[in-house]
Amino acid sequence: MVRKGPGSAAGRAGAMPGGRALPGAVGALCRAMPPRARLVPEGLRRAKLDRPQATLDFWRLLYALLKQIHGGKWSEADAIDTQIRFVKLALWYQGYGRPELYRLPSDGSAGSRELLLAFSWLLHRISLLEQLLARNRVRTGDETSVCMCEDDLSQSEQGTTEIAPEYGPEDRVDVRYLQWLNGRLRFQWRSLHAQHQEQCKLLHKIHLLTSGSHVDQILGHFSVTEMDLIRQTENYKQLVQLLERETMQLEAFLEWKQLEPVYWQWMETVLDNMAEEGNMCKPQDAHIEKSSLPKVTSCCPWADSLTGQINKLSRDLMALRDQLHELVTHRKSAWEEKPAERRRLISLQRQFPAGPCEPVLLRVRGLGKEATSEMLELGDEAKSLGAHVKDDREGSPRALVVPSNEAVKCQIKIGWEINVTKTHLKGKS
Amino acid sequence: MSLVTVQLGQCGNQIGREVFNAICSDVHGTHGLCSKKENESYHDACKERFFIEAESGVPVARAVLVDMEPKVISQTLSIAAKSGYWKYDDHSHFCQKQGSGNNWANGYTVHGPRHKEAIMNLVQKEAEKCDRLGGFFTIMSMAGGTGSGLGAFVTQCLRDAFPSSFILNHVIWPYGTGEVIVQNYNSVLTLSHLYQSSDALLVHENDVIHKVCAQLMHMKQISFKDVNQVIAHQLGSVFQPTYTAEDGLHYSRNPLGDLMETLVPHPEFKMLGLRNIPQMPENSLAYSTFSWPGLIKHLRQMLIANAKMEEGIDWQVQPPRPGSSVPSSRSTNKLLHFNTSIANLVILRGKDTHSADLGSFRDPSLYTSWLNPQDAFSAWKTPRAFNKYEKSASLVSNSQFLLKPLDNVVRKAWNMFASKAYVHQYTKYGIEEEDFLDSFTALEQVISSYTIL
């Protein structure tokens, strides 16, 4: 369950908490909406009661708002199922995880309460009103920007990320033609760069030449819009209209901000209603299976490429994991083929903290006279290879690293616990 | 959008002066043959492109003059100012007291670095005066001493200082039987260095222009001034304002960018040739009439047969028939006679340009196999007539025009180099034999790229 809104758990006084304040809050909210997104207080009330008539309006409202957020082109005449699909995708992109919404029918016949929930979630989650107000400001023309748009080109979903596209024999393209196209692109980029520099230069000129003329002392110069107004004074009417509209929206927004807690209390009643009607589902993973995700369409190219990239990455990761797994099993099986040595080494590892390649300290008892001299020799040899040789009180070696067959030659009584292979003496330091 | 002209050496300065002269007299002439409004926008576009409005009302050319000797520069400045129509900026020139003795290496390794800061300061100042820098147009000779060595160095500095600007080098190809004995060395070194820093090389051959003067203009005593005036006329016909789109409402504000984009996007093919018709003495103009079909037909044949002017064109040469068995590039007809193009730009100025039919230039057999005519061919037009010619057509072509001259120069230079003749003059100043070899390799690469079209 998703409980949103600044927590004001106190004061749940029934269907209309706050009494007079609620119509005020709702009214302010409706007035703060941007011009092309229509919302009426009655629509909110109907949605709370889950009336089907309110559903279409709510879908259209969400469509208009989300299109403005994402900066795409749209018109009211777009087909309703396109609108619904877009809204679902956009909500998915924003991270709305409530599955009931995605199961709503694409003809807009039911589900206004779900849409109300989604709308309120957006209001809070992505600061919907603030974003829209920022986007719809009257421009002064003084902004310059650097294009940071991502690569929107659709990418094929086949193949891993590294493999270059392969051309069949019929598709052969002369590389000189590609170089030609590349060169053209670079020249066009340079022209664009020059135009951009020109724009900055002219902007600077305007500011320079009008400095000191502005009413606002700190700013001191005119903006491009103001310059334009001086040259074409008949445009002032339009500008005044735009400014008045923006002022109204901002005032409504301020009003809304003050009355906002009332709205969230009311939303809580909506949630309670849903709980009572038993429509609540158990909390699920945020991850919804692919099958329930609406089909990707051209109306959301950025979502398209994003899901494509995510899929590709997850496939690459799976492939890498499989490869690693393979390597590991291969190594393991190669390892298994030498059981005897394995046992020795394993037991070495168990008994001695040092690795199997390090010279190992052995205790030896019961040496005969000949054995002693041979042991001395071996001891020297071992010393020269870095083995640690411990002598007993009489000076004969007690502990050293000894190859197994040499040990037999020495006829030393077995006092050591392990057999060490020849390879360990052969200079593996 | 504005072009900054950099005039390098004696040759560059003299030609530069003639170019501004030609442009100015074209703008002030009364033979525009178009509406007043058209004339005014042409005038404005031209002014923005080449001149700055000064307080005195006389337009100042956007140019930097560079030479090692003071004589030519002061001549240039005074002649320009005398015309009353335009002048140079009094401070926008750089010269020294002594010459560089026709030594390329001296110009490149000694004078260049020594005077780099002063010259680049002047260029920077001119560039800052432009609201929009449309690129640099340098004029120089390929084989002289100052112009070529210093010019190659200055082009490199331009590229370093303005990495994303367009740079077009106008290069004068020396007479085949020129006076300077090391002119082929100079040419090879200049071309190979320019190829690296410049975006395009627009070439005028002295021999060709000389013939134009003799045969078409009927001049008896041909001086450098006459040659320079013809060159200036041809350059003006390319760089004066035009509409680059079919239904353009404004004169193009990006001539260099448009030119580069249509002709030289491929980094290996940068050599451009220029043809302009009709060309005739001024006093004959009044008695001549022109038709677009005739002009276009001649221009096309000049392209195909690699003719230098509109007289003496070889009409036998035809493009290879499509569908015939693919000839190896060694087939005699293709190699010796037919001029394969990579890209062409045709500029039409004058009456009734809208009725001119350029379909014959869109024939795919004119072009190399890997480029189709939509990409390879462009046309710019303007109804405003140029320099008293009721109709004129220019062709800027990226084709095999310069393959033979280039091949000749490289071959002669190589023969000299094989016997190490005069190489000490260069090694004295730091141009080693490896540098020569690098230059030869680079140009051989260019020759081979153009040959296998």
Side-chain angles (χ1 to χ4, degrees):
Chain A
M1 171 170 122
V2 163
R3 234 175 224 281
K4 293 294 177 185
S8 51
R12 268 202 290 124
M16 290 261 284
R20 293 289 136 76
L22 183 62
V26 168
L29 179 62
C30 296
R31 274 179 287 124
M33 285 279 131
R36 289 171 76 189
R38 224 171 49 93
L39 178 64
V40 289
E42 190 58 24
L44 284 169
R45 192 187 71 83
R46 281 199 218 122
K48 170 179 175 178
L49 302 169
D50 206 12
R51 298 259 182 271
Q53 307 92 317
T55 319
L56 271 180
D57 286 335
F58 248 101
W59 279 120
R60 290 205 192 98
L61 170 72
L62 283 174
Y63 181 68
L65 293 174
L66 287 166
K67 271 290 186 186
Q68 288 192 31
I69 292 283
H70 288 290
K73 281 205 168 56
W74 59 285
S75 95
E76 275 110 6
D78 292 341
I80 191 67
D81 59 338
T82 322
Q83 294 192 15
I84 291 178
R85 226 172 325 165
F86 174 79
V87 171
K88 286 186 182 173
L89 267 169
L91 283 172
W92 176 249
Y93 182 76
Q94 298 286 354
Y96 187 71
R98 195 168 153 79
E100 286 81 0
L101 182 110
Y102 299 104
R103 298 203 200 110
L104 287 179
S106 330
D107 55 356
S109 51
S112 53
R113 188 156 53 190
E114 284 298 329
L115 293 174
L116 174 63
L117 279 184
F119 171 68
S120 303
W121 182 88
L122 275 177
L123 258 188
H124 176 77
R125 183 53 170 260
I126 62 171
S127 308
L128 187 69
L129 282 180
E130 286 87 335
Q131 275 201 36
L132 289 168
L133 283 171
R135 271 181 190 269
N136 292 331
R137 299 172 64 171
V138 173
R139 303 259 165 222
T140 56
D142 275 1
E143 306 96 9
T144 57
S145 61
V146 179
C147 174
M148 312 267 287
C149 52
E150 285 169 10
D151 185 12
D152 276 347
L153 298 172
S154 63
Q155 301 179 22
S156 104
E157 307 220 351
Q158 276 80 38
T160 64
T161 35
E162 296 95 33
I163 296 178
E166 288 165 44
Y167 283 103
E170 290 78 29
D171 296 347
R172 200 158 289 156
V173 175
D174 197 318
V175 68
R176 290 175 289 183
Y177 184 59
L178 295 174
Q179 288 174 306
W180 178 270
L181 291 175
N182 184 41
R184 283 193 69 179
L185 203 59
R186 299 191 69 199
F187 278 128
Q188 285 173 345
W189 179 86
R190 281 155 78 172
S191 300
L192 185 64
H193 183 77
Q195 271 184 317
H196 200 90
Q197 281 185 317
E198 184 189 15
Q199 190 198 23
C200 292
K201 198 149 196 177
L202 292 175
L203 197 61
H204 177 77
K205 249 193 184 166
I206 290 179
H207 290 181
L208 198 64
L209 295 173
T210 60
S211 68
S213 325
H214 203 271
V215 172
D216 180 344
Q217 291 296 326
I218 301 170
L219 200 57
H221 59 73
F222 287 174
S223 66
V224 172
T225 317
E226 287 160 331
M227 271 307 300
D228 197 47
L229 207 55
I230 292 177
R231 296 180 66 207
Q232 294 167 35
T233 43
E234 58 276 4
N235 289 347
Y236 82 93
K237 285 194 202 124
Q238 203 186 31
L239 190 61
V240 164
Q241 267 180 3
L242 287 173
L243 286 171
E244 275 178 356
R245 194 167 64 185
E246 194 181 337
T247 317
M248 272 191 340
Q249 268 184 282
L250 286 169
E251 283 173 352
F253 176 71
L254 285 173
E255 222 184 292
W256 154 256
K257 270 303 183 194
Q258 293 198 329
L259 296 171
E260 206 180 336
V262 175
Y263 179 80
W264 294 118
Q265 288 177 7
W266 179 73
M267 280 307 298
E268 285 186 13
T269 66
V270 175
L271 285 173
D272 291 340
N273 287 354
M274 291 185 76
E276 283 162 21
E277 290 176 25
N279 272 350
M280 307 276 261
C281 301
K282 286 257 176 276
Q284 293 185 4
D285 292 349
H287 173 75
I288 296 187
E289 327 87 52
K290 271 284 215 45
S291 53
S292 69
L293 185 65
K295 283 262 177 292
V296 176
T297 62
S298 59
C299 65
C300 264
W302 35 264
D304 205 343
S305 73
L306 203 58
T307 29
Q309 284 172 13
I310 292 175
N311 287 343
K312 215 187 287 189
L313 273 175
S314 65
R315 268 202 306 272
D316 285 349
L317 278 173
M318 294 294 286
L320 278 173
R321 198 194 67 166
D322 291 337
Q323 281 180 20
L324 266 174
H325 195 74
E326 236 183 81
L327 277 173
V328 165
T329 39
H330 186 74
R331 281 282 172 85
K332 264 197 186 155
S333 58
W335 199 234
E336 308 279 343
E337 278 163 18
K338 299 185 187 173
E341 273 153 50
R342 286 299 309 287
R343 271 185 254 121
R344 282 181 217 123
L345 288 170
I346 288 173
S347 54
L348 252 179
Q349 276 171 330
R350 264 190 251 126
Q351 290 163 25
F352 298 93
C357 291
E358 286 186 24
V360 168
L361 208 60
L362 300 176
R363 293 208 154 270
V364 171
R365 356 189 185 111
L367 294 175
K369 264 248 163 75
E370 314 101 344
T372 316
S373 59
E374 288 203 35
M375 280 290 276
L376 277 170
E377 276 176 16
L378 286 168
D380 288 337
E381 195 185 306
K383 268 193 214 162
S384 71
L385 289 168
H388 176 82
V389 177
K390 202 170 174 198
D391 295 338
D392 65 359
R393 268 161 291 144
E394 289 140 58
S396 55
R398 286 282 167 195
L400 44 65
V401 175
V402 181
S404 44
N405 42 358
E406 310 277 55
V408 168
K409 252 202 306 189
C410 293
Q411 295 168 20
I412 297 171
K413 260 222 172 123
I414 295 195
W416 63 68
E417 288 126 289
I418 49 162
N419 241 337
V420 182
T421 55
K422 228 182 191 162
T423 53
H424 289 183
L425 254 191
K426 298 274 182 203
K428 289 244 190 251
S429 57
Chain B
M1 97 81 229
S2 320
L3 292 177
V4 173
T5 308
V6 183
Q7 303 176 185
L8 296 153
Q10 175 183 356
C11 176
N13 279 301
Q14 287 173 339
I15 293 182
R17 185 186 71 225
E18 295 300 338
V19 171
F20 282 112
N21 247 347
I23 290 173
C24 228
S25 66
D26 173 44
V27 165
H28 289 286
T30 49
H31 302 265
L33 300 177
C34 60
S35 69
K36 189 155 173 272
K37 192 156 154 285
E38 186 75 56
N39 211 17
E40 269 174 21
S41 29
Y42 186 82
H43 188 112
D44 289 337
C46 173
K47 275 266 287 290
E48 187 201 11
R49 205 173 277 194
F50 295 109
F51 299 97
I52 307 175
E53 198 68 52
E55 297 88 29
S56 52
V58 177
V60 175
R62 300 182 191 268
V64 175
L65 291 77
V66 179
D67 198 4
M68 287 294 107
E69 295 169 343
K71 188 175 86 166
V72 176
I73 288 192
S74 55
Q75 242 179 20
T76 309
L77 290 173
S78 63
I79 294 179
K82 249 191 266 174
S83 73
Y85 282 123
W86 67 285
K87 65 192 194 75
Y88 285 107
D89 186 324
D90 293 321
H91 304 289
S92 194
H93 62 91
F94 175 86
C95 58
Q96 289 286 281
K97 292 291 186 293
Q98 82 282 11
S100 78
N102 264 346
N103 190 317
W104 197 97
N106 197 3
Y108 187 81
T109 56
V110 175
H111 288 282
R114 197 185 287 168
H115 306 303
K116 171 178 168 179
E117 210 180 303
I119 298 175
M120 290 312 288
N121 269 342
L122 292 175
V123 171
Q124 190 73 35
K125 262 197 256 171
E126 278 300 327
E128 277 167 17
K129 287 190 217 162
C130 307
D131 276 342
R132 172 165 162 184
L133 181 61
F136 295 98
F137 180 58
T138 73
I139 312 179
M140 55 193 267
S141 86
M142 206 165 68
T146 321
S148 42
L150 185 62
F153 186 78
V154 167
T155 308
Q156 216 170 297
C157 297
L158 282 178
R159 177 53 77 206
D160 290 334
F162 299 91
S164 59
S165 291
F166 302 109
I167 301 179
L168 176 70
N169 282 79
H170 177 246
V171 189
I172 300 296
W173 206 273
Y175 285 106
T177 54
E179 297 164 356
V180 181
I181 199 137
V182 290
Q183 66 180 38
N184 294 315
Y185 279 164
N186 291 346
S187 308
V188 164
L189 289 168
T190 307
L191 280 176
S192 58
H193 280 89
L194 286 183
Y195 229 80
Q196 287 170 10
S197 342
S198 165
D199 290 314
L201 305 178
L202 183 60
V203 175
H204 265 120
E205 297 167 75
N206 265 345
D207 288 316
V208 170
I209 305 295
H210 195 101
K211 258 200 261 175
V212 168
C213 288
Q215 293 180 7
L216 296 179
M217 314 282 272
H218 306 305
M219 294 177 190
K220 295 292 187 299
Q221 305 278 20
I222 301 173
S223 66
F224 270 120
K225 190 159 149 74
D226 302 313
V227 170
N228 292 346
Q229 279 180 341
V230 172
I231 293 178
H233 171 88
Q234 295 200 347
L235 286 176
S237 75
V238 173
F239 289 112
Q240 284 287 58
T242 52
Y243 296 100
T244 45
E246 199 47 58
D247 49 355
L249 296 166
H250 307 285
Y251 280 110
S252 157
R253 295 193 70 228
N254 191 18
L256 271 194
D258 291 333
L259 189 125
M260 306 282 186
E261 198 191 314
T262 54
L263 291 175
V264 289
H266 198 294
E268 283 199 354
F269 301 102
K270 288 183 183 173
M271 311 280 297
L272 299 176
L274 176 53
R275 301 283 183 268
N276 171 262
I277 60 172
Q279 199 98 54
M280 57 179 53
E282 200 173 307
N283 40 26
S284 320
L285 275 174
Y287 308 109
S288 320
T289 53
F290 312 101
S291 74
W292 284 121
L295 287 175
I296 291 173
K297 195 162 130 195
H298 276 76
L299 198 60
R300 180 175 182 267
Q301 195 59 28
M302 279 166 75
L303 169 67
I304 297 175
N306 201 353
K308 316 291 186 187
M309 63 185 111
E310 65 251 45
E311 274 181 27
I313 303 177
D314 182 355
W315 289 94
Q316 299 303 316
V317 179
Q318 287 300 319
R321 290 257 151 272
S324 58
S325 60
V326 179
S328 72
S329 53
R330 302 282 159 245
S331 104
T332 47
N333 188 40
K334 204 163 153 75
L335 186 61
L336 296 178
H337 298 294
F338 177 67
N339 179 38
T340 315
S341 308
I342 298 172
N344 290 314
L345 168 67
V346 167
I347 304 172
L348 303 176
R349 298 178 183 272
K351 258 171 51 174
D352 303 326
T353 45
H354 51 87
S355 70
D357 174 23
L358 289 163
S360 55
F361 272 98
R362 295 197 175 95
D363 183 356
S365 56
L366 259 58
Y367 299 98
T368 181
S369 59
W370 47 270
L371 211 52
N372 52 39
Q374 281 114 294
D375 291 319
F377 178 71
S378 327
W380 297 354
K381 299 181 187 168
T382 170
R384 210 269 189 192
F386 174 68
N387 222 4
K388 304 189 186 110
Y389 284 84
E390 180 200 65
K391 298 186 175 88
S392 69
S394 303
L395 169 71
V396 185
S397 173
N398 188 352
S399 64
Q400 294 172 325
F401 268 164
L402 295 153
L403 183 52
K404 217 146 81 134
L406 185 60
D407 200 40
N408 282 339
V409 162
V410 172
R411 195 170 23 90
K412 286 191 207 158
W414 183 253
N415 287 339
M416 274 179 78
F417 185 68
S419 51
K420 299 285 189 291
Y422 301 100
V423 173
H424 61 91
Q425 284 182 11
Y426 295 83
T427 50
K428 191 163 75 173
Y429 290 104
I431 301 288
E432 301 300 330
E433 290 181 14
E434 287 89 53
D435 301 313
F436 271 97
L437 288 173
D438 288 338
S439 300
F440 279 116
T441 323
L443 289 183
E444 286 293 346
Q445 177 64 39
V446 173
I447 292 174
S448 118
S449 306
Y450 271 104
T451 314
I452 60 171
L453 281 183

